[in-house]
Amino acid sequence: MRLGVLDVGSNTVHLLVVDAHRGAHPTPMHSEKTVLRLAEQITKHNHLAKQGAQALVEAVQNAKVAAAALGCEELMAFATSAVREADNSSEVLRKVADATGVELTVLSGVDEARLTFLAVRRWFGWSAGQLLVLDIGGGSLEVAMGIDEEPALAESLPLGAGRISRTRFAHDPPTRSELVSTSAWLEDQLAPLARRVAKLGPPDRVVATSKTFRSLARLTGAAPSAAGPRVRRTLSQTALRQLIAFISRMEAADLAELEGVSASRAHQLAGGALVAQAAMRALSLDELEICPWALREGVILRRLDHSNGDEAAVRRGRTTGDSTRLDLGELDQAR
């Protein structure tokens, strides 16, 4: 069956279309993004601005049309931190549903961590043992750890690449004092998490997902995306330290010219790099392995798991291109 996943993040609205069925490897068929930077359109009253809400409606409608044109039998749509944290999120969600017919499910940070962990577990398999998974988004940092498909620890902290760049840096590029003070602040923020992770014992495999980690790995010599998803890619703390010394002196416009850095995310690369470095230091990690699967794949896998192998159950009588509201109750029962 063909499924569409619509991810409304802090920076982009991303439609991923896959061919998949229960027990099989989801095959990507199409991917498209719309850059909205919703997190930057939150007002001083903590509301998503009208302009941002309208842009979201248009992006969701365009994605729905694209999903239908591509033959998707179902469209699963969710939103993360930017929408989650806006005080008018209910109003925005209602506006999107009324205008497009698409019901966006707002994922909690913990559910983001759990679903991403599921995707990483499926990618590496049981032989990976105890997994420690890190994911830096635009608004938050997710960390999960465990030996099963359901992590023993799943946490979300408001330490996303975009958030750090907006709230900690007043200059482009950031000043030396901004870099030093932000690094020290991140160390304090991550100390409680580090203690909780340490209680679970050492991980057998440490994995990172997300565009931020992929970009950082690429800039430190990892294979390009053209080499395929199964090429082993890593990011070491030593290489990251050297990279930060280089990119922290560059303006966003110049960073956007680097291979592996998109123009829409260049402005938050330095912030994301500091979060990555602080997390690796706090958790005593020398190296991370990059996983190509993350939250979107986790949503797909969870949905297929609950189809019981019955494609009709997945469709539930919906017409092609219709939206499916994610059943987070199933996630809650697993806790």
Side-chain angles (χ1 to χ4, degrees), residues 9-192:
S10 298
N11 201 52
T12 63
V13 174
H14 188 167
L15 172 66
L16 173 66
V17 175
V18 302
D19 283 344
H21 62 269
R22 191 170 184 263
H25 188 288
T27 303
M29 303 304 294
H30 179 77
S31 176
E32 63 180 61
K33 299 178 184 179
T34 302
V35 178
L36 295 187
R37 293 189 180 180
L38 292 179
E40 297 176 20
Q41 300 187 57
I42 301 296
T43 70
K44 62 181 180 180
H45 301 296
N46 204 39
H47 281 200
L48 179 61
K50 290 182 178 179
Q51 182 179 355
Q54 183 56 41
L56 177 58
V57 168
E58 294 171 2
V60 171
Q61 179 60 32
N62 290 339
K64 180 182 179 181
V65 171
L70 290 163
C72 290
E73 300 170 36
E74 189 173 328
L75 179 63
M76 299 172 288
F78 64 88
T80 55
S81 63
V83 174
R84 179 171 69 231
E85 296 173 10
D87 287 344
N88 63 335
S89 61
S90 296
E91 176 186 336
V92 172
L93 294 173
R94 186 165 53 251
K95 181 175 182 178
V96 170
D98 290 345
T100 69
V102 175
E103 292 189 56
L104 287 172
T105 296
V106 178
L107 295 181
S108 69
V110 170
D111 279 331
E112 283 190 60
R114 296 169 67 229
L115 287 165
T116 300
F117 184 88
L118 171 64
V120 174
R121 169 61 72 191
R122 294 284 178 89
W123 181 267
F124 287 107
W126 297 113
S127 63
Q130 175 144 274
L131 277 172
L132 174 58
V133 178
L134 289 74
D135 184 342
I136 299 174
S140 58
L141 163 69
E142 276 70 50
V143 177
M145 187 173 181
I147 198 166
D148 300 315
E149 289 197 337
E150 178 65 24
L153 175 148
E155 298 204 16
S156 178
L157 300 174
L159 302 176
R163 188 193 302 270
I164 295 302
S165 300
R166 289 192 310 275
T167 61
R168 303 289 308 186
F169 301 157
H171 303 85
D172 179 22
T175 64
R176 174 66 179 170
S177 62
E178 287 173 340
L179 294 170
V180 171
S181 63
T182 298
S183 294
W185 179 80
L186 286 169
E187 180 180 349
D188 289 341
Q189 297 299 305
L190 289 164

Side-chain angles (χ1 to χ4, degrees), residues 172-173 247 250-257 261-263 265-268:
D172 179 22
I247 64 174
M250 300 176 65
E251 294 183 355
D254 294 324
L255 290 172
E257 299 297 321
V261 180
S262 62
R265 296 178 185 270
H267 66 294
Q268 62 186 45

Side-chain angles (χ1 to χ4, degrees), residues 183 237 241 276-285:
S183 294
Q237 188 174 158
R241 183 177 65 251
Q277 182 182 58
M280 294 182 74
R281 285 176 173 173
L283 301 175
S284 301
L285 306 175

